[in-house]
Amino acid sequence: MLKKSLVIAASLLSLVAGPAAAQDRYQNRPPVVVSPDLTAPWVMQLGGQQARTRQVIYRQQVPQATRKQYYQQGQVAKPQLKRRVVNPLIQPANATRAQRPVKSKFDPQYLPQTVAYESKEKPGTIVIDTNNRFLYLVTGNGEARRYGVGVGKPGFEWAGAHKVTRKAEWPSWTPPQEMITREAAKGHYLPARMDGGPENPLGARAMYLGSTLYRIHGTNAPWTIGYAVSSGCIRMRNEDVVDLYERVKVGTKVIVI
């Protein structure tokens, strides 16, 4: 009987003390703070004074098409950088052509092919379109043989009419003093002269234009065809410059536009 009474008393004591202990435990627990911005990270809404007081800042996203309008209205501040300011509206000048050549890649549009080409120039005339990186050998009957070329980089563009005054197979290369000085300032040291061969930057053939320093020549870097990378000379793949070399003679008219 005594044992049964002790069990009953212990049960009554646990019923009274249990809620009190549970209440004390929950009173010491930090309250759950729900951010008014329901998109805030959920971890910022739970526990700890630091988490409850930390501010979450969101960058306002402005549609690209209307960004200039937002800037003009003063609704969104333009992004400011310490070193320079980048205008997000500036787009590449030519979105259809990469601005830098990629080694081992060649655009097939620059392969030799016969195309429709209306011209007042006589058959046998060479016309070089530097903007579109094409060389046309007029064949007559409204057609021309078209080749891809590399042209002068910015600051080295030129235009004019000349004649082929000399032809050379596997030409040697003598860089002009201006080029030697210019490249030396960049840390590139050119030889005073280089014999012809596969390593020579003039490639397999060269056709010299008038009394200028410019040539139509081959290249050992065919991936540069279609780009403005030279110091004014017109570059062709070695296979293509050999083909053109066999088709033209000294005295051929060359028009660069």
Side-chain angles (χ1 to χ4, degrees):
M1 185 67 180
L2 179 60
K3 184 178 181 179
K4 184 175 181 181
S5 299
L6 291 174
V7 171
I8 294 173
S11 300
L12 292 174
L13 182 61
S14 64
L15 291 174
V16 174
Q23 184 176 2
D24 291 340
R25 184 168 64 252
Y26 283 106
Q27 284 178 347
N28 294 329
R29 181 177 178 179
V32 174
V33 178
V34 180
S35 169
D37 183 358
L38 297 181
T39 64
W42 67 271
V43 293
M44 300 300 299
Q45 302 177 22
L46 301 177
Q49 181 66 23
Q50 181 178 359
R52 292 198 301 272
T53 59
R54 179 179 172 185
Q55 294 182 353
V56 180
I57 301 175
Y58 296 91
R59 181 180 298 174
Q60 183 174 355
Q61 299 298 322
V62 181
Q64 184 72 21
T66 60
R67 191 169 294 178
K68 184 175 181 181
Q69 179 181 358
Y70 275 81
Y71 290 160
Q72 292 174 345
Q73 295 175 355
Q75 297 180 20
V76 178
K78 287 188 177 181
Q80 299 293 325
L81 300 181
K82 292 182 179 180
R83 294 184 179 180
R84 61 191 180 99
V85 178
V86 178
N87 186 344
L89 297 176
I90 293 178
Q91 298 295 326
N94 190 334
T96 61
R97 179 190 293 137
Q99 299 303 304
R100 294 176 179 270
V102 178
K103 191 172 182 178
S104 78
K105 288 190 176 182
F106 181 81
D107 191 331
Q109 71 170 317
Y110 297 118
L111 291 172
Q113 53 190 291
T114 298
V115 298
Y117 188 76
E118 294 294 337
S119 174
K120 296 180 180 179
E121 301 299 330
K122 296 179 180 180
T125 302
I126 293 175
V127 180
I128 301 172
D129 181 351
T130 57
N131 284 335
N132 292 303
R133 322 300 200 234
F134 289 125
L135 181 152
Y136 296 90
L137 175 61
V138 179
T139 57
N141 299 321
E143 293 182 338
R145 185 164 177 78
R146 190 183 76 183
Y147 306 84
V149 296
V151 300
K153 57 190 172 185
F156 293 85
E157 309 96 331
W158 64 280
H162 295 282
K163 290 184 178 181
V164 174
T165 51
R166 184 164 76 91
K167 297 170 61 179
E169 298 183 9
W170 294 106
S172 61
W173 180 43
T174 303
Q177 186 57 48
E178 295 84 354
M179 179 183 291
I180 293 176
T181 303
R182 184 173 64 248
E183 293 301 316
K186 302 176 184 177
H188 305 151
Y189 299 97
L190 303 179
R193 184 182 181 279
M194 181 183 289
D195 291 334
E199 300 301 320
N200 192 302
L202 297 187
R205 302 289 187 272
M207 287 157 275
Y208 295 79
L209 304 179
S211 59
T212 72
L213 297 176
Y214 302 128
R215 321 164 188 84
I216 300 171
H217 64 78
T219 180
N220 53 19
W223 55 87
T224 62
I225 301 303
Y227 295 88
V229 291
S230 78
S231 294
C233 287
I234 306 301
R235 297 183 179 186
M236 302 178 71
R237 293 193 314 159
N238 279 332
E239 303 94 318
D240 300 344
V241 77
V242 169
D243 181 76
L244 180 66
Y245 186 94
E246 299 298 329
R247 295 172 184 268
V248 302
K249 300 178 180 180
V250 172
T252 294
K253 184 179 180 180
V254 178
I255 302 172
V256 179
I257 58 176

